[in-house]
Amino acid sequence: KSWFARNKVKLPMRIPAVIIGWYFYGMFLNSLRLGIASTFHSGEEEIKSIWVLNPFKNWGAVFTGFGIVTTLVIVLIVAALVNFGVNGIQYAIQLHLVSCGTNATLIGFISGGISLTMLVGSLLAGKLSDKVPVGPTVCLAYLFICLCALPMALTDNYWVMLVGLPFPLINAMLLGFIFAKSPTSMQGRITVTLTVPAQVLSMFCSAVAGTLLPVFGFHGAVLVFLAVLVASAVLVICSRSIRSIPKAAQWEHTMLR
């Protein structure tokens, strides 16, 4: 069955929900823009209120330069959080295995397994982005990472650790859309803007993991990093701009908002 045939019963409820969500996201963007302008007196006109009720102004806000920049900031935040969470769990696993006297070869398999899943993920992402909407898939990928990390908060079984981190569809699909929509002349600057803050935060993963393990133990350390992953998942799911990214075949006609 086609997508419409499977979802036509739910469309009368989903369409108004999307329109209302779009309206309030635009209101948020306008209030943020006007709030900044009124605080720093950057506008020529006097701002009487930061709340915009005009639906056309709110719906159109997501297509403005301010809306695009805000979306990139959201992507930047969630990328930094997910990198910090995943890398933190990886360091916690390795340090825990070292403290338990685990064979060095088995510890090395952890990094090897993660590298293998990255390779699998890069191959699958190219095929999936042509067939499935990127936005919902990325949201599911964030939830999937959280679910995969959850068992490690309950057990330190080696095999659970080995298969606990999933393949990364997130970078390939989400960042693929951003770079596909960005001008060629700006892609270098966008790469630096997105990757440097995320990597700077990840620099502290090993130190944080090493500090948490003696205090909270392995399960407690994993819970801390899992909380970071959950926070990033909530940000992604709550972002209408990310949820609405379509499959790759429709990127040409989709605005970066």
Side-chain angles (χ1 to χ4, degrees):
K1 293 183 179 181
S2 65
W3 180 90
F4 179 78
R6 295 194 306 270
N7 295 273
K8 63 180 180 180
V9 177
K10 300 179 181 179
L11 282 179
M13 295 182 293
R14 289 182 176 178
I15 291 177
V18 169
I19 294 175
I20 293 172
W22 187 351
Y23 172 82
F24 281 108
Y25 182 67
M27 179 185 288
F28 164 74
L29 291 175
N30 278 323
S31 64
L32 189 61
R33 176 179 58 82
L34 293 173
I36 294 173
S38 63
T39 301
F40 296 99
H41 305 287
S42 57
E44 297 180 358
E45 300 180 0
E46 181 183 358
I47 299 174
K48 298 180 180 180
S49 173
I50 65 171
W51 300 108
V52 178
L53 301 180
N54 187 320
F56 297 104
K57 289 185 177 180
N58 287 334
W59 286 328
V62 297
F63 300 105
T64 63
F66 186 83
I68 293 173
V69 171
T70 303
T71 300
L72 288 175
V73 170
I74 293 174
V75 172
L76 172 63
I77 293 172
V78 298
L81 289 177
V82 76
N83 278 342
F84 180 80
V86 170
N87 290 334
I89 292 176
Q90 181 181 349
Y91 281 117
I93 291 172
Q94 293 176 345
L95 293 174
H96 174 69
L97 292 176
V98 170
S99 67
C100 294
T102 306
N103 185 281
T105 302
L106 295 178
I107 297 176
F109 282 153
I110 298 293
S111 297
I114 293 173
S115 300
L116 178 61
T117 56
M118 290 177 65
L119 179 60
V120 173
S122 63
L123 294 174
L124 290 178
K127 297 182 179 297
L128 288 177
S129 62
D130 293 330
K131 300 178 181 178
V132 298
V134 171
T137 304
V138 168
C139 293
L140 290 175
Y142 270 89
L143 291 175
F144 185 59
I145 289 177
C146 296
L147 290 176
C148 288
L150 183 60
M152 287 184 282
L154 306 174
T155 178
D156 58 356
N157 182 277
Y158 175 80
W159 296 106
V160 173
M161 298 179 190
L162 184 62
V163 299
L165 295 175
F167 45 82
L169 291 175
I170 296 171
N171 285 350
M173 301 186 78
L174 183 57
L175 298 184
F177 170 75
I178 292 176
F179 289 122
K181 300 300 296 182
S182 302
T184 304
S185 60
M186 293 186 62
Q187 290 194 0
R189 282 167 282 181
I190 291 176
T191 299
V192 173
T193 302
L194 291 175
T195 58
V196 170
Q199 297 303 323
V200 167
L201 187 60
S202 297
M203 286 170 52
F204 302 98
C205 287
S206 58
V208 173
T211 303
L212 292 175
L213 281 172
V215 179
F216 299 107
F218 176 71
H219 301 312
V222 171
L223 279 174
V224 171
F225 291 115
L226 178 59
V228 176
L229 290 176
V230 171
S232 66
V234 170
L235 285 173
V236 168
I237 294 171
C238 292
S239 172
R240 191 199 66 82
S241 298
I242 294 177
R243 294 197 312 270
S244 62
I245 298 175
K247 56 187 178 181
Q250 300 173 352
W251 287 357
E252 183 179 355
H253 308 290
T254 304
M255 292 290 294
L256 179 60
R257 56 182 188 267

